[in-house]
Amino acid sequence: MKKTILLVFLVSAIGFAQKPIFGTAKINAATVYSNSTEISQNVAIMLPKGNSEIVIKNVSSYLNESSMQIGAPANVTVLSVQFTTDYIAEYDIDESNPAIKKVRDSIVWIQKEIQKIGIQKVSNTKTIELLDKNQQVSGVNSGLNMVDLMKMVDYYGLKRTEISNTIIALDEKEKKLSKQLTSLNDKLQINTKNEDKTSNGKLILQVMNEVAGNTDFELSYLSYGATWQPFYELRATSITDPMQLMYKAKVTQNTGIDWKKVKLTLSSGNPNQNNQAPSVNPWFLQTQNTLFSPAPIPEANEDKLEAVVVESYGAARSKKALASSVSNYTSINENQLNITFDIAIPYDILSNGKSHSVALKELKIPASFRYYAVPKTEKEAFLLADIVDYSKYNLLTGEANIIFEGMYVGKTQINTSQTTDTLSLSMGRDKKISINREKVADKSGTKFLSSKKEQTFTYDITVRNNKKESVALLLKDQYPLSTDKEIEIELIESDKAKVNTETGILSWELNLKPNETKKIRISYKLKYPKDKVFVNL
């Protein structure tokens, strides 16, 4: 089958006088991108030899004409193509539609029956006129005796009554048939409206065919109105059991045509983005008279989070479980530009703008679990799962539902755009680890020293493990820093913390046994001129 790429032929140069040939395209496959979709369709049409006009229905209403490709056999030449959502002609209705054909046949039959009734009514009316005329003639020049005349009168009365009753019955039958005809015409209008609604988009093709016969056409084009987003389901029964990740997708389409039993492919690429490589031009410095503001001091990088962790590797699944996994029906292909998910299971996705959940892959990923807490900000412990070399799992940035110990605990965000080789996933808050941070009043206070002011801050951090198993917790706090030489800051007590003097961050790696409580104290002192006021102390 040869393929013709058509770049927006809007007007045909050849006129076709014959009635167009209608066909309804069937969608076979759809490749969904982040903001569009590539649709593949086919349609079989019986073509005569010579030139023909073809109207292909059930095409997306939001077709990108510049992306249109049409495949046809070698004996068929596609002369031009036009896309429209408002095709109007006297033969716009597809008479091959079974519902429309049935109504049309009924209308023709009733119209013939009404014609027959009309003929019968005229015949009976003429008969009455003839009887009336003969009765008048017989009464004037009959020369009949009384007995014969009475017989004739009786015959006339009976016959005229019979014919009149027949006319009345025909009138009633005609009324009923006329009522049925009106109903059928109304039904035909409804059917034609529904027929028109099934396909907002149409392709009008002018073709030249060398051999008459059934012809297969293949259509491929980009359409707007479809999108997909990755999302995940993270499951962990405990910090010692394997973590399971279900890779899913939310697919939404509003292309104007319903997708029935369609093979789906999801791609991370974007066919609509600008693919022109940037150029580099000379960079000429310019000056201005206004004073430059000093550049902001860059934030110091926080220490890499380190903790005593429990390694958790998943056991192999049973053959029975693997056989029923959705992973067996999805293949992942990665190239230099994007990642694609080919799904073997056909899907029905209606053009209604509603999200459809599509299962892609079920992964069992080796992870290291650790607890993390910053009580200065949040007085709760967070369970983190670290995934090393996460790029090999083809993860994309998206939202994830967290299910820990059989309970839904909330949502987290998987961010794959980071530059580190370890992906840290927040698995939610663990309320079985109690944390409290409070100011020690008798160890805190303010002193005035001539022109300076001295403030001391002391805090106690209490951590308790209410779980039945031991946990490793990375605890962090901080003390303030200053870039002003007049402001002196001294860390008085850190309780054996790992201190980063560049960032002011204090770190403790705690190992808590079941029901064990630990207390940590930090204290720092500030000395500064009395006239200075802090807004974030």
Side-chain angles (χ1 to χ4, degrees), residues 341-361:
F341 301 85
D342 295 321
I343 306 170
I345 303 174
Y347 274 85
D348 290 353
I349 300 180
L350 302 181
S351 178
N352 54 13
K354 295 182 179 180
S355 294
H356 297 257
S357 178
V358 177
L360 299 179
K361 277 282 186 182

Side-chain angles (χ1 to χ4, degrees), residues 408-422:
Y408 173 77
V409 296
K411 297 180 181 292
T412 189
Q413 189 74 16
I414 294 180
N415 181 14
T416 59
S417 61
Q418 61 186 36
T419 57
T420 60
D421 60 355
T422 300

Side-chain angles (χ1 to χ4, degrees), residues 1-14 16 43 45 47 50-54 56 68-83 203-210 215-219:
M1 178 172 283
K2 64 183 180 181
K3 183 160 286 188
T4 304
I5 300 178
L6 301 161
L7 301 176
V8 197
F9 289 92
L10 295 179
V11 181
S12 173
I14 300 176
F16 292 83
V43 57
I45 298 177
L47 284 182
N51 292 345
S52 300
E53 179 176 285
I54 302 172
I56 300 178
M68 186 73 228
Q69 298 184 56
I70 296 180
N75 58 284
V76 176
T77 301
V78 180
L79 303 174
S80 70
V81 61
Q82 177 185 358
F83 169 72
L203 290 176
I204 305 172
L205 275 61
Q206 310 292 352
V207 302
M208 183 171 61
N209 186 22
E210 298 176 2
T215 305
D216 292 326
F217 291 89
E218 293 182 355
L219 313 177

